[in-house]
Every structure is written in C-alpha cells, then in structure tokens.
Amino acid sequence: MVRTVNIVTGAVENEFDLQVKHPISVHAQFRHARLTANGTLLVAHMDLNKVVEYDADGQELWSFPATAPWGVTPLANGNILITDRIGVREVTPQRRLGVDV
C-alpha cells in the first residue's frame, strides 16, 4: 500500500494498493518510489520487472520494462532515470530510451 502523509499535519492525504507479484514476501516487491512535480508517483517494481507511473488514484499511467529496477528518478528535463541490473538508463516522456549514462 502507498500512503501519502502530510508531514506538517500528519494527515493521510491519499492511499492505494500497489500491484505485487509475491504479496507474502515483501522484501523484493519494490524499491524506490518518487513523487513527481505533477503529483504522480513513480515506482521501481523490482518483482514485476518494470517501472510504473501512477496517478493520485493509483491508476497506471504508463510502464517501462526494467530488469529488477532499483531506482527511478524524475529529471528536470522531464525524462526518467532508471537504475536496474542492466545499468542506468534515461527514458524520454514518450517512454523511449534516451541516452545511456
């Protein structure tokens, strides 16, 4: 479950369930999750081998295949930086590979 909490008031502002492959074993489900400037959530789904962007209601907006993704970071240029077992890749807003870094 993803829960967004206002750190000033302590109020829960939003929550929704995340899809996982093995719900009993939590260790390998996902790694880094990042809020974007647009209020969406980027998640590195380690057990599903993909990176997903969700809207505030938990609806998948897009996904990109990744081999055991560890990190996902929105960049100032609008691209997404993905770190996985393959390496580090920059993906464009159209979800095409940008440059390998």
Side-chain angles (χ1 to χ4, degrees):
M1 176 183 296
V2 171
R3 180 175 291 150
T4 306
V5 178
N6 184 313
I7 61 172
V8 174
T9 66
V12 175
E13 295 186 352
N14 192 17
E15 62 183 21
F16 58 86
D17 289 331
L18 283 179
Q19 177 188 9
V20 295
K21 188 173 184 177
H22 302 289
I24 294 174
S25 176
V26 297
H27 180 71
Q29 290 177 356
F30 63 92
R31 287 298 181 259
H32 298 123
R34 302 281 186 251
L35 288 173
T36 70
N38 295 331
T40 61
L41 181 70
L42 288 169
V43 178
H45 282 280
M46 200 163 123
D47 68 344
L48 296 174
N49 290 315
K50 65 182 180 177
V51 169
V52 180
E53 184 172 14
Y54 296 96
D55 68 13
D57 296 320
Q59 299 300 309
E60 184 176 310
L61 299 174
W62 63 268
S63 68
F64 188 85
T67 303
W70 187 265
V72 59
T73 305
L75 301 174
N77 65 4
N79 292 349
I80 308 298
L81 194 65
I82 297 172
T83 305
D84 66 4
R85 285 194 182 156
I86 292 173
V88 179
R89 295 172 289 165
E90 188 172 333
V91 179
T92 68
Q94 296 77 28
R95 313 306 163 229
R96 294 189 299 263
L97 284 177
V99 295
D100 288 335
V101 289

